Amino acid sequence: MSEAQVTIEQVSIGDTLPELEIPLTRTLIVAGALATRDYEDVHHDPAQAERRGTPDTYMSINNTNGLVGRYVTDWAGPAARMVRLSTRLGVPNFPGDTMRLTGEVVGVEQDTVRVAVRGMNSKGAHAISEVTVRLPRGTEQ
């Protein structure tokens, strides 16, 4: 993603964000759970995850939200401020897969932009999210 700053004047409904592929490693899944203090065993213990009915450990919603937020703010630039994030989870993110994030601007109001984000993996939709970010005006940079 770019480090360039997007301003509110540059954004229109229907604009798309560049796709971002995130390899889903066991390290990413475990580190994300630990970083967000989600100690649920299914996020770090493969044997326990299997005992609880899944084929492997899987990504926590906090980890997913962090990646979705990063995706949008990396696109928007360093002066962007995330003010809202809402996610509905679908299929799990398991190690060895790839999550592909795509986004589309679905709203522009005053100094905020709403971006619809989809996180897809080989099994289908992992995350359906909406992120609202506050953007500067061109004169505020």
Side-chain angles (χ1 to χ4, degrees):
M1 294 272 176
S2 168
E3 287 194 28
Q5 181 60 56
V6 174
T7 64
I8 195 71
E9 297 89 354
Q10 296 172 309
V11 180
S12 299
I13 292 174
D15 289 352
T16 58
L17 282 63
E19 181 178 289
L20 176 64
E21 288 191 358
I22 300 174
L24 301 171
T25 64
R26 184 173 313 281
T27 300
L28 174 68
I29 291 168
V30 172
L34 294 176
T36 60
R37 298 182 179 183
D38 187 340
Y39 303 120
E40 184 71 29
D41 53 18
V42 294
H43 302 311
H44 62 84
D45 184 338
Q48 187 60 21
E50 285 181 33
R51 280 192 287 281
R52 294 187 59 190
T54 66
D56 204 337
T57 58
Y58 56 90
M59 185 172 282
S60 70
I61 190 168
N62 294 326
N63 198 347
T64 297
N65 281 339
L67 294 169
V68 167
R70 172 197 138 199
Y71 171 63
V72 174
T73 58
D74 280 359
W75 162 78
R81 297 294 172 255
M82 187 168 53
V83 296
R84 184 175 182 278
L85 187 149
S86 172
T87 295
R88 190 178 84 224
L89 289 180
V91 298
N93 268 342
F94 291 114
D97 207 342
T98 299
M99 180 170 63
R100 288 170 184 76
L101 293 172
T102 57
E104 179 180 352
V105 174
V106 295
V108 179
E109 301 164 10
Q110 297 177 13
D111 64 347
T112 61
V113 174
R114 288 183 298 114
V115 180
V117 177
R118 275 181 104 63
M120 303 293 290
N121 63 37
S122 66
K123 305 226 181 287
H126 168 68
I128 298 171
S129 304
E130 186 172 282
V131 180
T132 303
V133 290
R134 181 166 289 117
L135 296 176
R137 299 211 169 272
T139 58
E140 294 175 10
Q141 290 189 38

